[in-house]
C-alpha cells in the first residue's frame, strides 16, 4: 500500500496549521464563549419550561449535544468550498489537477492535517470540559466507540457535500453565496443549531430522510445513549454508511462531468 | 489644508458608489446567489426561533413575539455594518499585499475613502427581512403606534448600528498589528448572533462583560427595552446613544492610528 504519499500531506497540513498559534487561541476563546452563551441560554429555556425532560432530552443532554455539535463543526469545517473556489478563480487549480493524485483525494488529505490539530486543540478540550460540567451524563462505554465510528463517517459525508458544493462553484463563480447557503442548510437540518428531537412532526420526518442528520445528529445521539440497543446502533450506522456511499458516488460523478466545463482565466 | 464639508463627502460617496455598483452588476449571477444566501441565513434564524417556541412557551419571561422583536431589531441594526463597512473584510488583504498604500495618497479622509469603496447590496435583503420581522412582532404584540415611538426606534437603531460598526472596525484594525486577523473579525461577527437574546439570561459577570467589554447587549437588548418594557427602562438604555457614539469614535481612532502607522511593504 502506498500510504506514504497521503501521510506526507497530513504532516504538511499539521505543520501549516501550527504556524498560526494566535489564531488557534482566538478560536479556543471563541468556542469557550460560545459554550457559555449556550449554557446560559438553554438553562433559561429549561427553567422556563418547568419540566426536567423535554422531548426526551434533559438540560445536560441538550448542552452536550449542542456544544459538541459546535466542536464537531470546527473540526469538520474545512473551507473546501473557499479553497477550491479561489483556486478556480485564480487558475491555480490547473496545477493541482496535474498532480499525480486524484484531485478529490488530494484535497482531502491536504486537510487531514488540520483534522489532527483541530482534534487536539478544539474537540478534545471541549469534550473534556463538557464531560466535567455535566457531571457524568456522558457514559464511558461502547457508546464512545460508536461515536468515533460515526464521526469518521460523518467526516466523509460532510466532505462529499462540500466537494459537491465546490463543484457548483465551477459553474457559478460565486463562492460566498453558495457557501453560506450550504452552511445554513447543513447546520439547521443536521440538528447542529437545535437538536432534531425538538423539531415538530412533518419537519422531523422530512429531515430523517435527508443526509444531513447523519453528520451531527447520529454521532451525538450515539454518544448520549449510555445504554445502546444493538438494533438502534446498527440502523444508525447503516444509514450513515448508505449516505457515505451515495454522497461519495454523486460527488465523484458530478466532478467528473463538471471538469469538462472548467474555464480558467489565465493562471 | 482646508477641511472638506459634509456635502463634499456625500457627493464623492455617490460617485464611488455608482462605480462599485456598476462593477458588481457585471457579476450578476454572483449578486443574485449572494442575496439569496443572505435571505437563507435570515430564514434559518427565524425557523430556529419557531422550532424553539413550539417546545417552550417563553424564555426567561420573554415570549415568542418579543424575541422576534429583538431578532428583527438586531437584523436592522446590523444592516449599516453589512452595507457600508463591508470593505473591512478585505482590509487585511490590502495591508498584507501592500495595496493599502494607495488609500494613503488621496486628499480625503482615509477611513472614509476606504469604506466608501464597497457597498454591499445584499445587506438590503437583510434590511427588508428585519423590517418585516419587526413589524410582524410589533403588530402581534399590540404595541400601538405613535410618532414618538417611531422616533425612539429610529434613534436606538442608529445607536445599535454604531456599536456594531465600532466592534467591526476595531476587529478589522487588528490586522495592522497581527498577521492572520481573519479569526478576530470572524470571532466578532459570530458574536452578533448572541445579541438576539435578552441579556438577563446571563449571570452578573457575563452581563457585565456583554455590556461593557463586548458591548453586544447594545445591539438589540438595551435599545429594545424602550419599546418592549417602557416602565422599566434602565439608565444604560438612555445612555446608549452616547455610548454608541463613544464606541464608534474610539474604534475610528484605533483604525486611523493603525492606518497612519502603516508603512507599506516596500513594493
Amino acid at each position: 500500500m502506498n500510504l506514504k504519499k497521503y501521510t506526507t500531506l497530513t504532516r504538511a497540513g499539521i505543520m501549516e496549521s501550527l504556524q498560526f498559534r494566535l489564531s488557534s487561541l482566538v478560536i479556543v476563546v471563541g468556542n469557550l464563549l460560545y459554550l457559555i452563551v449556550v449554557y446560559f441560554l438553554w438553562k433559561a429555556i429549561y427553567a422556563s419550561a418547568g419540566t426536567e425532560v423535554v422531548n426526551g432530552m434533559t438540560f445536560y443532554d441538550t448542552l452536550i449535544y449542542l456544544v459538541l455539535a459546535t466542536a464537531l463543526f470546527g473540526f469538520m469545517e474545512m473551507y473546501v468550498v473557499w479553497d477550491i473556489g479561489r483556486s478556480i478563480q485564480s487558475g491555480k487549480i490547473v496545477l493541482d489537477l496535474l498532480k499525480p493524485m486524484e484531485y478529490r483525494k488530494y484535497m482531502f488529505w491536504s486537510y487531514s492535517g488540520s483534522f489532527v490539530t483541530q482534534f487536539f486543540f478544539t474537540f478534545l478540550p471541549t469534550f473534556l470540559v463538557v464531560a466535567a460540567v455535566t457531571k457524568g451524563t456522558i457514559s464511558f462505554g461502547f457508546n464512545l466507540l460508536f461515536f468515533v465510528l460515526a464521526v469518521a463517517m460523518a467526516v466523509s459525508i460532510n466532505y462529499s457535500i462540500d466537494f459537491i458544493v465546490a463543484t457548483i462553484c465551477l459553474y457559478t463563480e460565486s463562492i460566498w453565496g453558495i457557501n453560506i447557503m450550504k452552511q445554513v442548510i447543513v447546520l439547521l437540518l443536521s440538528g447542529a443549531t437545535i437538536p432534531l428531537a425538538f423539531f415538530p412532526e412533518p419537519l422531523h420526518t422530512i429531515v430523517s430522510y435527508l443526509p444531513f442528520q447523519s453528520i451531527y445528529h447520529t454521532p451525538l445521539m450515539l454518544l448520549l445513549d449510555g445504554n445502546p440497543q444493538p438494533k438502534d446502533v446498527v440502523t444508525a450506522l447503516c444509514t450513515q454508511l448508505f449516505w457515505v456511499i451515495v454522497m461519495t458516488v454523486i460527488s465523484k460523478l458530478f466532478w467528473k462531468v463538471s471538469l469538462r466545463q472548467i474555464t480558467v482565466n489565465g493562471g | 489644508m482646508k477641511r472638506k464639508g459634509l456635502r463634499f463627502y456625500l457627493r464623492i460617496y455617490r460617485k464611488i458608489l455608482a462605480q462599485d455598483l456598476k462593477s458588481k452588476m457585471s457579476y450578476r449571477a454572483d449578486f443574485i446567489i449572494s442575496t439569496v444566501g443572505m435571505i437563507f441565513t435570515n430564514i434559518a434564524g427565524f425557523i430556529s426561533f419557531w422550532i424553539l417556541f413550539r417546545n417552550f412557551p417563553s424564555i426567561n419571561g420573554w415570549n415568542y413575539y418579543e424575541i422576534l422583536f429583538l431578532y428583527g431589531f438586531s437584523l436592522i441594526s446590523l444592516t449599516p455594518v453589512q452595507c457600508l463597512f463591508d470593505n473591512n473584510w478585505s482590509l487585511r488583504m490590502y495591508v498584507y499585499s501592500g495595496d493599502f498604500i494607495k488609500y494613503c495618497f488621496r486628499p480625503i479622509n482615509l477611513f472614509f475613502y476606504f469604506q466608501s469603496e464597497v457597498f454591499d447590496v445584499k445587506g438590503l435583503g437583510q434590511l427588508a427581512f428585519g423590517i418585516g420581522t419587526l413589524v410582524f412582532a410589533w403588530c402581534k404584540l399590540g404595541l400601538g403606534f405613535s410618532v414618538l415611538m417611531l422616533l425612539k426606534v429610529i434613534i436606538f437603531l442608529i445607536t445599535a448600528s454604531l456599536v456594531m460598526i465600532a466592534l467591526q472596525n476595531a476587529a478589522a484594525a487588528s490586522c495592522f498589528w497581527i498577521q492572520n486577523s481573519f479569526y478576530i473579525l470572524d470571532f466578532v461577527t459570530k458574536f452578533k448572533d448572541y445579541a438576539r437574546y435578552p441579556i438577563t439570561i446571563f449571570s452578573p459577570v457575563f452581563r457585565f462583560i456583554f455590556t461593557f467589554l463586548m458591548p453586544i447587549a447594545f445591539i438589540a437588548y438595551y435599545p429594545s427595552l424602550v419599546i418592549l418594557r417602557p416602565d422599566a427602562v434602565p439608565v444604560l438604555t438612555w445612555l446608549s446613544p452616547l455610548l454608541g457614539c463613544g464606541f464608534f469614535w474610539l474604534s475610528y481612532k484605533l483604525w486611523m492610528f493603525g492606518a497612519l502607522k502603516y508603512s507599506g511593504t516596500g513594493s
Side-chain angles (χ1 to χ4, degrees):
Chain A
M1 249 314 255
N2 199 350
L3 261 177
K4 198 168 167 235
K5 61 181 176 186
Y6 299 129
T7 49
T8 314
L9 285 172
T10 309
R11 215 175 53 232
I14 293 176
M15 280 150 95
E16 197 176 45
S17 53
L18 284 180
Q19 273 291 310
F20 299 107
R21 258 154 298 192
L22 186 75
S23 66
S24 336
L25 186 73
V26 174
I27 291 173
V28 169
V29 172
N31 278 341
L32 218 63
L33 276 167
Y34 177 77
L35 225 145
I36 290 159
V37 170
V38 168
Y39 175 83
F40 282 116
L41 177 65
W42 284 87
K43 207 173 157 173
I45 291 174
Y46 267 88
S48 314
T51 47
E52 289 272 297
V53 183
V54 180
N55 285 321
M57 291 184 78
T58 63
F59 167 55
Y60 280 159
D61 285 343
T62 313
L63 188 67
I64 296 170
Y65 188 108
L66 287 172
V67 168
L68 290 187
T70 317
L72 279 180
F73 174 76
F75 167 67
M76 289 199 269
E77 175 65 36
M78 301 188 286
Y79 302 100
V80 181
V81 180
W82 280 103
D83 279 355
I84 298 183
R86 280 214 198 96
S87 54
I88 289 168
Q89 281 180 350
S90 71
K92 181 183 161 276
I93 194 164
V94 174
L95 296 175
D96 293 336
L97 288 174
L98 288 173
K99 292 215 166 70
M101 193 187 286
E102 207 185 311
Y103 186 64
R104 198 174 170 282
K105 274 191 192 139
Y106 170 72
M107 288 306 278
F108 183 81
W109 288 100
S110 315
Y111 282 110
S112 61
S114 73
F115 281 159
V116 178
T117 47
Q118 283 291 320
F119 179 80
F120 285 108
F121 286 118
T122 334
F123 187 77
L124 207 59
T126 319
F127 183 85
L128 293 176
V129 167
V130 101
V133 168
T134 57
K135 301 174 200 101
T137 310
I138 303 177
S139 50
F140 288 84
F142 275 117
N143 56 339
L144 282 184
L145 180 74
F146 300 140
F147 176 68
V148 172
L149 254 174
V151 167
M153 287 201 267
V155 167
S156 163
I157 298 173
N158 191 47
Y159 180 71
S160 292
I161 291 177
D162 274 5
F163 203 79
I164 292 171
V165 174
T167 315
I168 297 175
C169 289
L170 276 177
Y171 297 91
T172 62
E173 298 195 9
S174 159
I175 311 174
W176 190 90
I178 297 273
N179 192 49
I180 197 95
M181 268 192 254
K182 177 219 89 181
Q183 200 164 315
V184 164
I185 293 174
V186 170
L187 286 184
L188 186 68
L189 300 185
S190 64
T193 355
I194 294 180
L196 291 189
F198 292 107
F199 279 43
E201 204 19 77
L203 205 59
H204 191 253
T205 318
I206 296 169
V207 166
S208 67
Y209 287 114
L210 295 173
F212 308 113
Q213 45 115 10
S214 287
I215 305 176
Y216 295 103
H217 182 72
T218 308
L220 292 169
M221 281 325 260
L222 286 173
L223 179 74
L224 282 175
D225 193 358
N227 186 17
Q229 301 299 313
K231 193 173 143 275
D232 296 344
V233 176
V234 170
T235 323
L237 290 179
C238 283
T239 317
Q240 268 198 313
L241 189 65
F242 170 75
W243 283 116
V244 168
I245 296 167
V246 169
M247 296 316 278
T248 311
V249 169
I250 294 179
S251 74
K252 274 192 172 171
L253 281 180
F254 187 37
W255 176 249
K256 218 169 158 184
V257 173
S258 308
L259 209 52
R260 295 191 207 118
Q261 261 284 316
I262 194 169
T263 43
V264 171
N265 314 318
Chain B
M1 198 171 69
K2 205 173 118 245
R3 278 181 86 91
K4 309 235 167 41
L6 192 63
R7 187 184 299 225
F8 170 80
Y9 274 108
L10 278 176
R11 200 166 51 103
I12 291 230
Y13 194 81
R14 223 173 34 237
K15 283 194 174 150
I16 301 176
L17 178 68
Q19 294 312 317
D20 181 49
L21 287 183
K22 269 185 224 161
S23 74
K24 287 252 171 62
M25 281 304 157
S26 58
Y27 297 99
R28 202 155 299 174
D30 180 53
F31 166 69
I32 293 167
I33 293 168
S34 302
T35 310
V36 174
M38 198 74 179
I39 293 170
F40 254 67
T41 340
N42 298 329
I43 292 176
F46 195 89
I47 293 177
S48 37
F49 281 133
W50 180 72
I51 294 173
L52 209 60
F53 281 93
R54 301 270 318 211
N55 295 283
F56 304 94
S58 68
I59 301 177
N60 208 261
W62 294 70
N63 68 30
Y64 178 47
Y65 297 112
E66 285 172 324
I67 296 277
L68 275 188
F69 186 96
L70 287 183
Y71 182 48
F73 195 96
S74 73
L75 284 184
I76 302 174
S77 63
L78 291 174
T79 304
V81 79
Q82 181 77 42
C83 286
L84 305 175
F85 292 85
D86 203 48
N87 216 16
N88 265 335
W89 284 95
S90 317
L91 181 63
R92 87 202 141 85
M93 256 97 86
Y94 284 119
V95 167
Y96 185 69
S97 67
D99 288 340
F100 186 72
I101 208 80
K102 83 167 186 198
Y103 297 98
C104 303
F105 292 138
R106 303 295 148 101
I108 51 175
N109 184 293
L110 177 61
F111 180 73
F112 168 81
Y113 180 52
F114 182 77
Q115 304 294 0
S116 66
E117 220 182 33
V118 170
F119 181 87
D120 192 18
V121 193
K122 58 184 180 288
L124 294 179
Q126 175 170 315
L127 180 68
F129 196 87
I131 292 177
T133 311
L134 194 74
V135 170
F136 173 70
W138 192 303
C139 293
K140 286 284 179 185
L141 286 167
L143 289 169
F145 181 78
S146 68
V147 179
L148 186 67
M149 274 169 111
L150 185 69
L151 211 66
K152 277 185 194 164
V153 169
I154 291 173
I155 289 176
F156 282 103
L157 275 172
I158 295 171
T159 306
S161 311
L162 283 174
V163 173
M164 189 59 214
I165 293 167
L167 281 173
Q168 208 205 38
N169 276 340
S174 67
C175 75
F176 290 115
W177 293 277
I178 302 165
Q179 278 267 304
N180 194 5
S181 75
F182 170 78
Y183 292 99
I184 296 174
L185 204 49
D186 195 45
F187 171 75
V188 169
T189 310
K190 272 197 197 121
F191 251 85
K192 70 178 199 292
D193 294 342
Y194 312 145
R196 325 170 165 159
Y197 304 108
I199 196 178
T200 41
I201 63 171
F202 297 108
S203 71
V205 177
F206 288 101
R207 257 183 248 177
F208 178 82
I209 291 177
F210 290 143
T211 304
F212 295 107
L213 298 180
M214 285 176 215
I216 53 166
F218 288 103
I219 297 173
Y221 175 73
Y222 283 123
S224 298
L225 285 178
V226 175
I227 302 296
L228 291 178
R229 300 274 190 275
D231 328 316
V233 182
V235 187
L236 267 177
T237 302
W238 299 119
L239 279 179
S240 64
L242 276 179
L243 286 171
C245 295
F247 281 132
F248 180 75
W249 183 80
L250 275 178
S251 76
Y252 168 73
K253 282 288 167 201
L254 181 75
W255 201 99
M256 283 303 263
F257 177 67
L260 293 177
K261 194 185 73 73
Y262 180 70
S263 53
T265 52
S267 54

